Amino acid sequence: MARPAPQDVATIACVGGGTIGAGWAACFLAHGKDVVMSDPGPDAEAKARAVIDQAWPHLEGLGLAGGASRDRFCFVGSVAEAVGDADLVQESAPEREDLKIALFAEMDEHARPDTVLASSSSAFLPSHLQSKCKRPERVVIGHPFAPSYLMPLVEVVAGEATAPETVAWSRDFYETVGKRSVVLKKEIEGYIANRFQMVVFEEALRLVENGICDWEAIDLSITEGPGLRWPFLGSLSTNHLAGGKGGLQHAIDMWGWQGNEESRASALASVDERFGHVPMAELEAWRDDNLMRLIKGRRAVPARPK
Ligand SMILES: NC(=O)c1ccc[n+]([C@@H]2O[C@H](COP(=O)([O-])OP(=O)(O)OC[C@H]3O[C@@H](n4cnc5c(N)ncnc54)[C@H](O)[C@@H]3O)[C@@H](O)[C@H]2O)c1
């Protein structure tokens, strides 16, 4: 049986059903898919169902696809049973490279020849994970973010032996289940977003350990500062708006550019392509409107019991 078009995927195997695997299952169920899960852990089925139940009201809040139901979840006793009839396999086993390499070989043996085998790994090179597969061309990283039933970003990463069609198919598939796919041009450990997170956390550690501030100041410096803009402005676009009416060019004139000439030119071209059609005053109003909604919409941490 040939690989279905991304929008026609009906059955997904979730191999590994912990925090991320069960979250994926909830996301897929909410998009009207059938989900078959395997996980050798104690009480794995009950734990996965509890995650799905916890996620469901939030997924209902976002809007369920027609036919979406938690009854379309089933738990089986082996990897072979889980993947045998799947249109996509999403692996979310523990982050151990030897375990994942062996698991991919097993999934490769039992899945239909065209089925894409995607890994939720947070860091490993796909070239390693596919190294013991007979059909490595269908192996790819599809790295989500916790909670995987809500967070849109999925990083799609190819290994040396991954076929370009596998990457394109995976990118398109994730978009059909409410995700935003970002495809890396080449593989690197930790991919993109976790590398950002690591840099920020390492700097936070340095600031605290050097007595510059405490942990609450670290968190507030993100949640009340740049983090509040990050839901709609990334690293580059933040600088475009920081440049006022002159945009990114003015920001560069003021603060300089740390990178090389090529990255400066591609940055200016990128903001022009994405924002150039919007007058700066309108872009600022869009930013302010988003900030106002975020500030009003945030809920405080539940109060400590008295
Ligand atoms: N937790 C996160 O924030 C996060 C975010 C993105 C990606 N990831 C990645 O997702 C993967 C899973 O992480 P998690 O946080 O869900 O871990 P977890 O410990 O919550 O779940 C792992 C599950 O895998 C099961 N398992 C153990 N051996 C297995 C095997 N041989 N085959 C199938 N399942 C097996 C365990 O019983 C457990 O239920 C890891 O690769 C991790 O790096 C985690």
PDB file of all heavy atoms in Angstrom, residues 15-21 39-41 92-95 99-100 103 120-122 143-144 146, ligand 1:
ATOM      1  N   VAL A  15       4.639   5.077  19.400  1.00  0.00           N
ATOM      2  CA  VAL A  15       5.513   4.104  20.075  1.00  0.00           C
ATOM      3  C   VAL A  15       6.205   4.842  21.216  1.00  0.00           C
ATOM      4  O   VAL A  15       7.039   5.715  20.987  1.00  0.00           O
ATOM      5  CB  VAL A  15       6.524   3.493  19.079  1.00  0.00           C
ATOM      6  CG1 VAL A  15       7.504   2.574  19.814  1.00  0.00           C
ATOM      7  CG2 VAL A  15       5.781   2.729  17.985  1.00  0.00           C
ATOM      8  N   GLY A  16       5.811   4.493  22.437  1.00  0.00           N
ATOM      9  CA  GLY A  16       6.218   5.272  23.613  1.00  0.00           C
ATOM     10  C   GLY A  16       5.089   6.220  23.951  1.00  0.00           C
ATOM     11  O   GLY A  16       4.671   7.021  23.107  1.00  0.00           O
ATOM     12  N   GLY A  17       4.546   6.061  25.173  1.00  0.00           N
ATOM     13  CA  GLY A  17       3.343   6.839  25.533  1.00  0.00           C
ATOM     14  C   GLY A  17       3.497   7.587  26.837  1.00  0.00           C
ATOM     15  O   GLY A  17       2.580   7.635  27.651  1.00  0.00           O
ATOM     16  N   GLY A  18       4.660   8.186  27.058  1.00  0.00           N
ATOM     17  CA  GLY A  18       4.862   9.011  28.263  1.00  0.00           C
ATOM     18  C   GLY A  18       4.343  10.426  28.018  1.00  0.00           C
ATOM     19  O   GLY A  18       3.376  10.626  27.282  1.00  0.00           O
ATOM     20  N   THR A  19       5.002  11.403  28.627  1.00  0.00           N
ATOM     21  CA  THR A  19       4.566  12.794  28.523  1.00  0.00           C
ATOM     22  C   THR A  19       4.340  13.201  27.064  1.00  0.00           C
ATOM     23  O   THR A  19       3.293  13.758  26.714  1.00  0.00           O
ATOM     24  CB  THR A  19       5.669  13.713  29.118  1.00  0.00           C
ATOM     25  OG1 THR A  19       5.968  13.238  30.425  1.00  0.00           O
ATOM     26  CG2 THR A  19       5.235  15.151  29.173  1.00  0.00           C
ATOM     27  N   ILE A  20       5.326  12.915  26.228  1.00  0.00           N
ATOM     28  CA  ILE A  20       5.258  13.392  24.843  1.00  0.00           C
ATOM     29  C   ILE A  20       4.407  12.468  23.973  1.00  0.00           C
ATOM     30  O   ILE A  20       3.559  12.935  23.204  1.00  0.00           O
ATOM     31  CB  ILE A  20       6.689  13.539  24.274  1.00  0.00           C
ATOM     32  CG1 ILE A  20       7.390  14.708  24.961  1.00  0.00           C
ATOM     33  CG2 ILE A  20       6.689  13.707  22.765  1.00  0.00           C
ATOM     34  CD1 ILE A  20       6.739  16.066  24.771  1.00  0.00           C
ATOM     35  N   GLY A  21       4.610  11.154  24.108  1.00  0.00           N
ATOM     36  CA  GLY A  21       3.859  10.221  23.267  1.00  0.00           C
ATOM     37  C   GLY A  21       2.359  10.305  23.517  1.00  0.00           C
ATOM     38  O   GLY A  21       1.552  10.313  22.576  1.00  0.00           O
ATOM     39  N   ASP A  39       3.797   0.632  24.543  1.00  0.00           N
ATOM     40  CA  ASP A  39       4.727   1.163  25.553  1.00  0.00           C
ATOM     41  C   ASP A  39       4.903   0.062  26.593  1.00  0.00           C
ATOM     42  O   ASP A  39       3.910  -0.404  27.175  1.00  0.00           O
ATOM     43  CB  ASP A  39       4.121   2.430  26.197  1.00  0.00           C
ATOM     44  CG  ASP A  39       5.080   3.099  27.179  1.00  0.00           C
ATOM     45  OD1 ASP A  39       5.690   2.390  28.005  1.00  0.00           O
ATOM     46  OD2 ASP A  39       5.203   4.331  27.135  1.00  0.00           O
ATOM     47  N   PRO A  40       6.138  -0.392  26.826  1.00  0.00           N
ATOM     48  CA  PRO A  40       6.346  -1.521  27.739  1.00  0.00           C
ATOM     49  C   PRO A  40       6.330  -1.128  29.219  1.00  0.00           C
ATOM     50  O   PRO A  40       6.482  -1.997  30.085  1.00  0.00           O
ATOM     51  CB  PRO A  40       7.746  -2.017  27.346  1.00  0.00           C
ATOM     52  CG  PRO A  40       8.453  -0.784  26.866  1.00  0.00           C
ATOM     53  CD  PRO A  40       7.399   0.098  26.240  1.00  0.00           C
ATOM     54  N   GLY A  41       6.164   0.148  29.516  1.00  0.00           N
ATOM     55  CA  GLY A  41       6.264   0.605  30.910  1.00  0.00           C
ATOM     56  C   GLY A  41       5.107   0.115  31.769  1.00  0.00           C
ATOM     57  O   GLY A  41       4.030  -0.201  31.261  1.00  0.00           O
ATOM     58  N   SER A  92       8.236   8.058  20.583  1.00  0.00           N
ATOM     59  CA  SER A  92       8.510   8.948  21.728  1.00  0.00           C
ATOM     60  C   SER A  92       8.995   8.129  22.920  1.00  0.00           C
ATOM     61  O   SER A  92       8.485   8.239  24.035  1.00  0.00           O
ATOM     62  CB  SER A  92       7.239   9.728  22.111  1.00  0.00           C
ATOM     63  OG  SER A  92       6.640  10.342  21.000  1.00  0.00           O
ATOM     64  N   ALA A  93       9.978   7.288  22.665  1.00  0.00           N
ATOM     65  CA  ALA A  93      10.576   6.467  23.734  1.00  0.00           C
ATOM     66  C   ALA A  93      11.635   7.298  24.464  1.00  0.00           C
ATOM     67  O   ALA A  93      11.958   8.411  24.028  1.00  0.00           O
ATOM     68  CB  ALA A  93      11.196   5.210  23.112  1.00  0.00           C
ATOM     69  N   PRO A  94      12.188   6.785  25.574  1.00  0.00           N
ATOM     70  CA  PRO A  94      13.171   7.563  26.334  1.00  0.00           C
ATOM     71  C   PRO A  94      14.349   8.033  25.470  1.00  0.00           C
ATOM     72  O   PRO A  94      14.724   7.378  24.498  1.00  0.00           O
ATOM     73  CB  PRO A  94      13.631   6.582  27.411  1.00  0.00           C
ATOM     74  CG  PRO A  94      12.473   5.658  27.589  1.00  0.00           C
ATOM     75  CD  PRO A  94      11.883   5.491  26.223  1.00  0.00           C
ATOM     76  N   GLU A  95      14.936   9.157  25.884  1.00  0.00           N
ATOM     77  CA  GLU A  95      16.016   9.781  25.112  1.00  0.00           C
ATOM     78  C   GLU A  95      17.340   9.038  25.337  1.00  0.00           C
ATOM     79  O   GLU A  95      18.252   9.529  26.013  1.00  0.00           O
ATOM     80  CB  GLU A  95      16.110  11.267  25.502  1.00  0.00           C
ATOM     81  CG  GLU A  95      17.047  12.109  24.654  1.00  0.00           C
ATOM     82  CD  GLU A  95      16.522  12.464  23.273  1.00  0.00           C
ATOM     83  OE1 GLU A  95      15.482  11.919  22.842  1.00  0.00           O
ATOM     84  OE2 GLU A  95      17.156  13.289  22.609  1.00  0.00           O
ATOM     85  N   LEU A  99      18.841   2.803  22.552  1.00  0.00           N
ATOM     86  CA  LEU A  99      17.461   2.295  22.593  1.00  0.00           C
ATOM     87  C   LEU A  99      16.704   2.725  21.332  1.00  0.00           C
ATOM     88  O   LEU A  99      16.023   1.927  20.689  1.00  0.00           O
ATOM     89  CB  LEU A  99      16.775   2.838  23.848  1.00  0.00           C
ATOM     90  CG  LEU A  99      15.339   2.429  24.155  1.00  0.00           C
ATOM     91  CD1 LEU A  99      15.101   2.510  25.660  1.00  0.00           C
ATOM     92  CD2 LEU A  99      14.320   3.286  23.439  1.00  0.00           C
ATOM     93  N   LYS A 100      16.863   3.973  20.935  1.00  0.00           N
ATOM     94  CA  LYS A 100      16.123   4.474  19.769  1.00  0.00           C
ATOM     95  C   LYS A 100      16.613   3.824  18.474  1.00  0.00           C
ATOM     96  O   LYS A 100      15.815   3.491  17.593  1.00  0.00           O
ATOM     97  CB  LYS A 100      16.223   6.001  19.671  1.00  0.00           C
ATOM     98  CG  LYS A 100      15.318   6.731  20.689  1.00  0.00           C
ATOM     99  CD  LYS A 100      15.256   8.223  20.404  1.00  0.00           C
ATOM    100  CE  LYS A 100      14.656   9.032  21.528  1.00  0.00           C
ATOM    101  NZ  LYS A 100      13.189   9.082  21.549  1.00  0.00           N
ATOM    102  N   LEU A 103      15.083   0.495  18.374  1.00  0.00           N
ATOM    103  CA  LEU A 103      13.630   0.633  18.179  1.00  0.00           C
ATOM    104  C   LEU A 103      13.313   0.985  16.720  1.00  0.00           C
ATOM    105  O   LEU A 103      12.357   0.457  16.132  1.00  0.00           O
ATOM    106  CB  LEU A 103      13.114   1.714  19.135  1.00  0.00           C
ATOM    107  CG  LEU A 103      11.625   1.832  19.381  1.00  0.00           C
ATOM    108  CD1 LEU A 103      11.008   0.501  19.783  1.00  0.00           C
ATOM    109  CD2 LEU A 103      11.380   2.882  20.477  1.00  0.00           C
ATOM    110  N   SER A 120      10.469  11.717  18.064  1.00  0.00           N
ATOM    111  CA  SER A 120      10.297  12.930  18.873  1.00  0.00           C
ATOM    112  C   SER A 120      11.593  13.337  19.561  1.00  0.00           C
ATOM    113  O   SER A 120      11.589  14.290  20.360  1.00  0.00           O
ATOM    114  CB  SER A 120       9.235  12.702  19.962  1.00  0.00           C
ATOM    115  OG  SER A 120       7.997  12.374  19.405  1.00  0.00           O
ATOM    116  N   SER A 121      12.688  12.641  19.277  1.00  0.00           N
ATOM    117  CA  SER A 121      13.960  12.930  19.967  1.00  0.00           C
ATOM    118  C   SER A 121      14.217  14.427  20.092  1.00  0.00           C
ATOM    119  O   SER A 121      13.950  15.189  19.174  1.00  0.00           O
ATOM    120  CB  SER A 121      15.117  12.279  19.198  1.00  0.00           C
ATOM    121  OG  SER A 121      16.345  12.736  19.742  1.00  0.00           O
ATOM    122  N   SER A 122      14.794  14.829  21.229  1.00  0.00           N
ATOM    123  CA  SER A 122      15.072  16.248  21.472  1.00  0.00           C
ATOM    124  C   SER A 122      16.431  16.672  20.951  1.00  0.00           C
ATOM    125  O   SER A 122      16.727  17.865  20.935  1.00  0.00           O
ATOM    126  CB  SER A 122      15.057  16.528  22.975  1.00  0.00           C
ATOM    127  OG  SER A 122      13.833  16.171  23.527  1.00  0.00           O
ATOM    128  N   HIS A 143      10.285  16.779  15.862  1.00  0.00           N
ATOM    129  CA  HIS A 143      10.503  17.132  17.281  1.00  0.00           C
ATOM    130  C   HIS A 143       9.458  18.132  17.776  1.00  0.00           C
ATOM    131  O   HIS A 143       9.435  19.281  17.326  1.00  0.00           O
ATOM    132  CB  HIS A 143      11.919  17.716  17.453  1.00  0.00           C
ATOM    133  CG  HIS A 143      12.173  18.212  18.841  1.00  0.00           C
ATOM    134  ND1 HIS A 143      12.618  19.483  19.123  1.00  0.00           N
ATOM    135  CD2 HIS A 143      12.003  17.606  20.046  1.00  0.00           C
ATOM    136  CE1 HIS A 143      12.724  19.638  20.434  1.00  0.00           C
ATOM    137  NE2 HIS A 143      12.354  18.511  21.010  1.00  0.00           N
ATOM    138  N   PRO A 144       8.627  17.687  18.747  1.00  0.00           N
ATOM    139  CA  PRO A 144       7.579  18.567  19.276  1.00  0.00           C
ATOM    140  C   PRO A 144       8.059  19.276  20.537  1.00  0.00           C
ATOM    141  O   PRO A 144       9.200  19.106  20.966  1.00  0.00           O
ATOM    142  CB  PRO A 144       6.496  17.560  19.643  1.00  0.00           C
ATOM    143  CG  PRO A 144       7.301  16.402  20.196  1.00  0.00           C
ATOM    144  CD  PRO A 144       8.582  16.361  19.399  1.00  0.00           C
ATOM    145  N   ALA A 146       6.699  20.331  24.632  1.00  0.00           N
ATOM    146  CA  ALA A 146       5.703  19.992  25.655  1.00  0.00           C
ATOM    147  C   ALA A 146       4.881  21.237  26.026  1.00  0.00           C
ATOM    148  O   ALA A 146       5.462  22.317  26.172  1.00  0.00           O
ATOM    149  CB  ALA A 146       6.407  19.441  26.893  1.00  0.00           C
TER     150      ALA A 146
HETATM  151  N1  LIG B   1       9.453  16.030  27.884  1.00  0.00           N
HETATM  152  C1  LIG B   1       9.690  16.986  26.997  1.00  0.00           C
HETATM  153  O1  LIG B   1       9.576  18.197  27.279  1.00  0.00           O
HETATM  154  C2  LIG B   1      10.075  16.606  25.583  1.00  0.00           C
HETATM  155  C3  LIG B   1       9.868  17.544  24.559  1.00  0.00           C
HETATM  156  C4  LIG B   1      10.152  17.178  23.246  1.00  0.00           C
HETATM  157  C5  LIG B   1      10.673  15.930  22.953  1.00  0.00           C
HETATM  158  N2  LIG B   1      10.879  15.047  23.972  1.00  0.00           N
HETATM  159  C6  LIG B   1      11.413  13.730  23.615  1.00  0.00           C
HETATM  160  O2  LIG B   1      10.337  12.808  23.557  1.00  0.00           O
HETATM  161  C7  LIG B   1      10.801  11.501  23.913  1.00  0.00           C
HETATM  162  C8  LIG B   1       9.990  10.984  25.091  1.00  0.00           C
HETATM  163  O3  LIG B   1      10.138  11.882  26.171  1.00  0.00           O
HETATM  164  P1  LIG B   1       9.069  11.925  27.375  1.00  0.00           P
HETATM  165  O4  LIG B   1       9.288  13.223  28.061  1.00  0.00           O
HETATM  166  O5  LIG B   1       7.715  11.588  26.870  1.00  0.00           O
HETATM  167  O6  LIG B   1       9.624  10.748  28.299  1.00  0.00           O
HETATM  168  P2  LIG B   1       8.772   9.834  29.304  1.00  0.00           P
HETATM  169  O7  LIG B   1       9.775   9.230  30.222  1.00  0.00           O
HETATM  170  O8  LIG B   1       7.626  10.596  29.891  1.00  0.00           O
HETATM  171  O9  LIG B   1       8.147   8.707  28.367  1.00  0.00           O
HETATM  172  C9  LIG B   1       8.916   7.728  27.749  1.00  0.00           C
HETATM  173  C10 LIG B   1       8.020   6.509  27.578  1.00  0.00           C
HETATM  174  O10 LIG B   1       8.691   5.562  26.765  1.00  0.00           O
HETATM  175  C11 LIG B   1       8.377   4.289  27.305  1.00  0.00           C
HETATM  176  N3  LIG B   1       9.362   3.310  26.829  1.00  0.00           N
HETATM  177  C12 LIG B   1      10.436   2.802  27.478  1.00  0.00           C
HETATM  178  N4  LIG B   1      11.083   1.937  26.667  1.00  0.00           N
HETATM  179  C13 LIG B   1      10.373   1.883  25.517  1.00  0.00           C
HETATM  180  C14 LIG B   1      10.514   1.146  24.319  1.00  0.00           C
HETATM  181  N5  LIG B   1      11.524   0.304  24.136  1.00  0.00           N
HETATM  182  N6  LIG B   1       9.606   1.323  23.335  1.00  0.00           N
HETATM  183  C15 LIG B   1       8.581   2.189  23.499  1.00  0.00           C
HETATM  184  N7  LIG B   1       8.405   2.929  24.604  1.00  0.00           N
HETATM  185  C16 LIG B   1       9.288   2.767  25.604  1.00  0.00           C
HETATM  186  C17 LIG B   1       8.348   4.467  28.807  1.00  0.00           C
HETATM  187  O11 LIG B   1       7.623   3.432  29.447  1.00  0.00           O
HETATM  188  C18 LIG B   1       7.665   5.829  28.908  1.00  0.00           C
HETATM  189  O12 LIG B   1       6.260   5.717  29.033  1.00  0.00           O
HETATM  190  C19 LIG B   1      12.290  11.660  24.227  1.00  0.00           C
HETATM  191  O13 LIG B   1      13.026  11.373  23.075  1.00  0.00           O
HETATM  192  C20 LIG B   1      12.398  13.133  24.596  1.00  0.00           C
HETATM  193  O14 LIG B   1      13.693  13.664  24.411  1.00  0.00           O
HETATM  194  C21 LIG B   1      10.578  15.344  25.283  1.00  0.00           C
END
